[in-house]
Amino acid sequence: MKIGILTFHRGINAGGFLQAKGLSSFLTSRGHQVELIDYTNAAQKKLDHEAIYRTRHPLRLLNNIRKQRSYLKAIATLPMGVRIQSAENLSALDYDCIVFGSDEIWNICNPFSAGDLTFFGAGMGSGPKISYAPSFGSTSLDDPKLASLSPLLAGFEAISVRDENSLAIVESLTGRRPDLVVDPVLLSKPDKPIKNAKTAGAIGTYLMGPSERDVQRVCQFAAEAAKDLCSIGYHYSWATHNIAFCDPTDVPGLLAGCDLVVTNTFHGVVFSLKNRLPFIIVSHPSKDQKIDTFRRKLGLSTVTSETERIHENHVNQLGSENQILAGWIDESKGFLERHLSA
């Protein structure tokens, strides 16, 4: 079967890159001919450009450009299909099925998607389409803008989402209960740990925009444990070591090379679960809803804003024998195999 995937794949973000790589690799392993539909809307292009060039600090600008180059090199390895400029071009694509997802392509409050109906199949016509693990992100169930999506969602042959908030929204709009599936990063085998002078014996941090208080608590925890802090994917002055400009494919392996991971992001949790790492979740107001499904389903502990200090009892670790996660991954693979038969 020739399959096109429509997702966020060009952002300078390890989670976005690796979810696109994970889904395309899994479907390829099942005998399909797979391409990423090369679509990026104007809002995405603008925000990606601003993220690199808005700083006036010369060293930060240089570092941003170095990071961008490492991502562009990695993105060039993805199975890229035809580039399209608008939703209307979808109907002309020659695919047996288009898979929408994963990531927050359905988050109508996210400036990257900006309410772009292309990610809901607008302009595609009646061709076969399913979704795999998209998210409505921070979109509220009572957002009035959701009502217009009902006809578009009704055109999907099968729908799956990655979190309970998205599940509730789809069920409310369509009367259908979608499947709850894992992020496609979890569909592949564990990563080989990358141990080097910076990661070995260190606490690896994968933190996006941590608050000053969060930084203080993380640094205090590391000092009490007599361990260095190694920031992966982001450069922070408070970290003992930084590995900010690596190939995004290496991010999970670099985290696996550390003794422990501290994260406040959805994909930081995903990378930790995939490699069965010990990890600590630090609550973040804009990211908590993304992680809530993992917390409830897997019983994960979180360092909240009320937590004075980080302790050992905040460490989560799921072994390879964990049947809840293993079963969830198998069910997710089954969803794709049922609805995409070669």
Side-chain angles (χ1 to χ4, degrees):
M1 180 178 283
K2 186 177 181 182
I3 297 171
I5 297 174
L6 189 61
T7 187
F8 294 154
H9 62 283
R10 283 197 172 273
I12 311 303
N13 175 283
F17 169 81
L18 289 168
Q19 62 83 20
K21 180 181 176 68
L23 183 55
S24 59
S25 296
F26 176 80
L27 294 177
T28 298
S29 75
R30 293 308 192 263
H32 300 291
Q33 179 184 348
V34 182
E35 294 178 347
L36 288 160
I37 299 170
D38 198 9
Y39 173 71
T40 307
N41 64 30
Q44 289 175 272
K45 293 175 183 176
K46 180 175 182 291
L47 290 167
D48 284 339
H49 184 272
E50 289 176 351
I52 301 298
Y53 295 101
R54 67 186 166 200
T55 182
R56 295 183 179 276
H57 191 287
L59 182 57
R60 288 175 187 162
L61 176 59
L62 178 61
N63 288 339
N64 285 349
I65 293 172
R66 288 174 61 194
K67 187 172 184 178
Q68 182 188 45
R69 286 176 177 170
S70 68
Y71 271 77
L72 291 176
K73 185 177 179 180
I75 290 167
T77 68
L78 295 172
M80 206 68 68
V82 64
R83 174 167 291 190
I84 64 171
Q85 302 297 330
S86 66
E88 288 71 26
N89 300 134
L90 276 178
S91 60
L93 299 180
D94 181 27
Y95 293 112
D96 297 314
C97 184
I98 294 180
V99 180
F100 291 72
S102 64
D103 219 328
E104 291 186 46
I105 61 169
W106 286 358
N107 185 353
I108 59 176
C109 300
N110 186 329
F112 281 90
S113 51
D116 186 349
L117 298 183
T118 307
F119 293 109
F120 293 89
M124 181 179 165
S126 59
K129 53 184 178 286
I130 71 169
S131 73
Y132 184 82
S135 175
F136 280 91
S138 58
T139 306
S140 172
L141 181 60
D142 59 4
D143 192 313
K145 297 189 294 293
L146 288 171
S148 64
L149 301 178
S150 292
L152 293 171
L153 292 174
F156 280 76
E157 294 188 358
I159 298 177
S160 67
V161 293
R162 76 180 192 188
D163 58 80
E164 291 162 326
N165 179 57
S166 300
L167 185 152
I169 290 174
V170 171
E171 190 168 26
S172 173
L173 293 175
T174 67
R176 300 158 57 187
R177 187 172 179 82
D179 287 55
L180 185 65
V181 296
V182 299
D183 185 273
V185 170
L186 288 165
L187 300 178
S188 58
K189 295 179 180 179
D191 301 283
K192 182 179 180 181
I194 300 174
K195 288 187 178 291
N196 55 37
K198 294 182 178 181
T199 62
I203 294 174
T205 68
Y206 191 73
L207 296 166
M208 184 182 294
S211 68
E212 184 177 341
R213 185 160 182 262
D214 289 340
V215 171
Q216 291 173 346
R217 290 185 295 179
V218 170
C219 289
Q220 181 182 28
F221 177 75
E224 291 172 351
K227 290 185 176 294
D228 289 346
L229 286 170
C230 182
S231 177
I232 312 294
Y234 302 93
H235 189 279
Y236 293 117
S237 60
W238 46 261
T240 317
H241 308 291
N242 285 280
I243 307 177
F245 318 116
C246 55
D247 185 318
T249 307
D250 291 338
V251 169
L254 287 164
L255 290 170
C258 299
D259 284 359
L260 171 73
V261 174
V262 179
T263 187
N264 63 2
T265 75
F266 174 83
H267 276 107
V269 173
V270 169
F271 301 153
S272 300
L273 291 173
K274 178 188 179 185
N275 294 313
R276 302 301 196 269
L277 307 175
F279 67 101
I280 293 171
I281 303 171
V282 177
S283 178
H284 190 289
S286 71
K287 301 172 178 63
D288 285 351
Q289 192 174 48
K290 306 178 190 181
I291 301 171
D292 279 346
T293 298
F294 280 131
R295 279 200 286 250
R296 286 193 287 267
K297 198 171 180 72
L298 302 175
L300 303 179
S301 174
T302 304
V303 177
T304 67
S305 58
E306 290 77 30
T307 306
E308 288 297 324
R309 298 173 66 177
I310 300 174
H311 298 284
E312 287 292 334
N313 59 3
H314 289 119
V315 177
N316 302 285
Q317 183 165 24
L318 275 66
S320 57
E321 72 284 353
N322 185 280
Q323 294 303 306
I324 297 176
L325 180 57
W328 192 8
I329 292 171
D330 286 343
E331 290 169 4
S332 302
K333 292 178 178 179
F335 172 87
L336 289 168
E337 290 164 347
R338 284 195 311 275
H339 297 290
L340 297 171
S341 55

